Amino acid sequence: MTRQPQFPIHTASSTTISRRGFLKFCSLMAATLALPSHYAGRIAQALADGPRLPVVWLAFQDCTGDTMSFLKASQRTDPLQPGVSDPSIVDILLDFISLEYHETLMAPSGANAELSLNNVLQNYPGAYLAVVEGAIPTGAGGAYCTIRGRTALSIAQQVLPGALAVIAAGTCAVDGGLPAAAPNPTGATGVRTAMPGLANFAALPGCPTNVVNLAATIVYLITFNALPPRDSAGRPVFAYEEDIHDECERKTHYEHDRFVLEWGDAGHRQGWCLFKMGCKGPETKHNCSTVKWNSATCWPVAAGHGCVGCARPGFWDAFPVYQALEDD
Ligand code: SF4
Ligand code: F3S
């Protein structure tokens, strides 16, 4: 699996990656990871010289939103020039990982799909990355989510302990998300609750997970052979240290008491603060306001709706979407 990329790289999506585009990707990853800019060179070397990282992507109780976020990402390699360069980060990332098992995306099916999974477990013990999308149901003996006649929990127990690292991608995999909303009839729960004690575990909550953060976490793993520094909940500090509110473009309006009071009112049309319309930005830790979405062109607050706190634990039940937070 050792590789030496020949530029330009021609990807499966028929996008051509130039050496310049590759280096810009490495710079974007260093910036997202809050590393000094000279680390871009180290990232480039690790990606270019190292073996391809085998990846197993498990999907349990989910809407496939995290996979769609991954597939549809078209984050430009240069966020200062949106729309100027293409390939997407996924185009590039897929050239430096080996996506060995993903039920939605893989070509094999049935017994051959299971063979692909078993091959990874046998051939790369302790050397593959496991990504989990979706919650793990524990009610009724796990009967609410079975694949090939096996429960989600038994598959997780087979795959996750032998991984180099485990990433819970999206809020459902982190804490149960929507499937765990009251009254949680399936006993849905997140990876860490279902399988406490996983050593190399990272949580990337968000509904869906932000693919830039997912890519940066994988790039860090490839470069340093370890997951990036995380908080006590397993969330990478680079993405979950600051409140959304801190970098929000509407914060000046917040500080000057200029609030939207009704959808479509004059303040809404002028881009005022959405706090009184239920924005959870002051109590949600995520880097949405800086990394953004859709080629770094937009994010929920910029689109005119408050943050619903999708990266917060238990957000479906604990934080009614349009109920304003208590003012300090
Ligand atoms: Fe804070 Fe939300 Fe207002 Fe932005 S829109 S300043 S995140 S309360
Ligand atoms: Fe979610 Fe709020 Fe970001 S709704 S996507 S955490 S702006």
Side-chain angles (χ1 to χ4, degrees), residues 206-208 244 284 286 288-289 293 299-301 306-312:
C207 189
I244 283 168
T284 303
H286 205 187
C288 300
S289 44
W293 298 78
W299 65 293
V301 168
C307 165
V308 302
C310 75
R312 292 187 56 166

Side-chain angles (χ1 to χ4, degrees), residues 137-156:
T138 57
Y144 295 108
C145 179
T146 63
I147 299 163
R148 306 183 306 274
R150 296 180 54 203
T151 67
L153 181 59
S154 74
I155 295 170

Side-chain angles (χ1 to χ4, degrees), residues 219-245:
V219 163
Y220 191 100
L221 178 64
I222 293 172
T223 304
F224 300 100
N225 201 34
L227 288 166
R230 287 146 287 148
D231 62 17
S232 60
R235 299 176 301 183
V237 173
F238 76 83
Y240 297 94
E241 187 174 33
E242 308 289 342
D243 285 331
I244 283 168
H245 180 73

Side-chain angles (χ1 to χ4, degrees), residues 58-79:
L58 302 175
F60 298 136
Q61 278 181 305
D62 70 318
C63 67
T64 318
D66 302 293
T67 290
M68 289 309 297
S69 179
F70 183 73
L71 286 178
K72 290 294 196 180
S74 56
Q75 169 83 43
R76 307 305 188 207
T77 52
D78 185 353

